[in-house]
Amino acid sequence: MIIHHFEDQNSLLNRFMLEIRDQTIQKDRMRFRRNIERIGEILGYELSKSLDYKIKSVKTPFGSRDIGIPIDQFVLCSVLRAGLPLHQGLLNYFDHAENAFISAYRHHPDGGDAFEVIVKYFAAPDLDGKILVLTDPMLATGKTLENVLKALKGHGRPKQIHIISVIGSKAGVKHISSVFPENTNLWIAAIDNELTSKGYIIPGLGDAGDLAYGIKL
């Protein structure tokens, strides 16, 4: 896996990361969602530099100009519900992309720390020969993305896979590196060192879905 990690680079991304982690600022749900969206825009812009381009001529009121534009078809696939603000950030830039959505949640069978990831809802176009961009803001254990990859196998063979995440754990990054194709690209704003016994990232930011949309039962 090719990892693009932006934590140590000085950019405006750091301000948005500070605000989503801050336990006071993150209580403003609208700001939290918008910050995740803006992080998606920044990571999407960085991803765009790695694509294949073709030259297209455009006419202006005073002449013409050749401009390079991406040539591949895109499918943006997000994990519900936490992935929605990140998905929107990418869609703001890749506005010609097709879209896919998948639900994945943690199920604790005995109420303890052990859990399994259950996928229930999935809607996607044909993926054959397209650039597949998977978005999941919190890359904790990596089990969610592993299950998403399994669910996608019946929908065609993508030309390339990109993963967009806001915060990951070292263990989660290592796990998906072992299950995704070697040429998969991971675009991630920060990688934290540890996980709790229940698989949440430390220091992380808490539950991204709850912070964006409210606490669930």
Side-chain angles (χ1 to χ4, degrees):
M1 179 172 285
I2 305 161
I3 300 171
H4 309 269
H5 180 201
F6 298 95
E7 186 172 30
D8 296 328
Q9 299 180 22
N10 289 326
S11 77
L12 191 58
L13 177 64
N14 292 342
R15 175 174 291 280
F16 304 140
M17 292 299 295
L18 181 148
E19 291 190 359
I20 64 170
R21 287 189 191 261
D22 187 292
Q23 61 182 341
T24 299
I25 299 173
Q26 67 178 202
K27 291 176 182 177
D28 182 343
R29 287 181 196 162
M30 183 179 292
R31 187 166 190 83
F32 182 84
R33 291 193 301 269
R34 181 61 182 126
N35 280 334
I36 294 290
E37 185 178 329
R38 291 191 283 195
I39 290 166
E41 291 172 349
I42 291 171
L43 295 179
Y45 172 73
E46 293 293 339
L47 183 160
S48 74
K49 298 175 184 178
S50 71
L51 303 176
D52 294 326
Y53 284 74
K54 68 177 180 181
I55 299 299
K56 183 175 181 179
S57 180
V58 60
K59 289 186 177 180
T60 80
F62 300 105
S64 63
R65 183 70 184 234
D66 291 341
I67 299 176
I69 60 170
I71 62 175
D72 292 299
Q73 288 181 279
F74 265 72
V75 177
L76 305 179
C77 179
S78 290
V79 179
L80 300 174
R81 63 184 168 153
L84 290 175
L86 192 58
H87 185 104
Q88 185 59 53
L90 289 163
L91 195 58
N92 289 345
Y93 281 16
F94 298 102
D95 55 314
H96 292 94
E98 296 177 277
N99 296 271
F101 298 94
I102 188 165
S103 71
Y105 67 93
R106 299 181 180 197
H107 174 59
H108 297 263
D110 57 2
D113 291 348
F115 66 90
E116 57 184 338
V117 176
I118 296 177
V119 173
K120 278 197 171 182
Y121 172 83
F122 179 48
D126 179 24
L127 303 176
D128 239 13
K130 299 173 183 175
I131 301 289
L132 174 62
V133 182
L134 301 176
T135 71
D136 190 8
M138 305 302 288
L139 175 50
T141 65
K143 292 180 182 178
T144 296
L145 285 174
E146 179 182 6
N147 279 270
V148 169
L149 180 65
K150 291 176 182 176
L152 289 169
K153 285 187 175 177
H155 285 255
R157 187 183 182 90
K159 176 183 177 180
Q160 193 173 30
I161 299 175
H162 294 264
I163 298 169
I164 301 279
S165 284
V166 178
I167 301 175
S169 73
K170 286 185 176 179
V173 171
K174 182 178 179 180
H175 181 69
I176 64 167
S177 295
S178 69
V179 298
F180 276 78
E182 286 186 7
N183 67 338
T184 300
N185 284 264
L186 171 64
W187 306 84
I188 190 164
I191 300 175
D192 292 349
N193 291 327
E194 300 179 53
L195 291 170
T196 70
S197 60
K198 290 189 175 182
Y200 287 94
I201 300 170
I202 301 174
L205 52 75
D207 188 302
D210 288 356
L211 289 166
Y213 298 110
I215 296 172
K216 58 190 174 292
L217 292 175

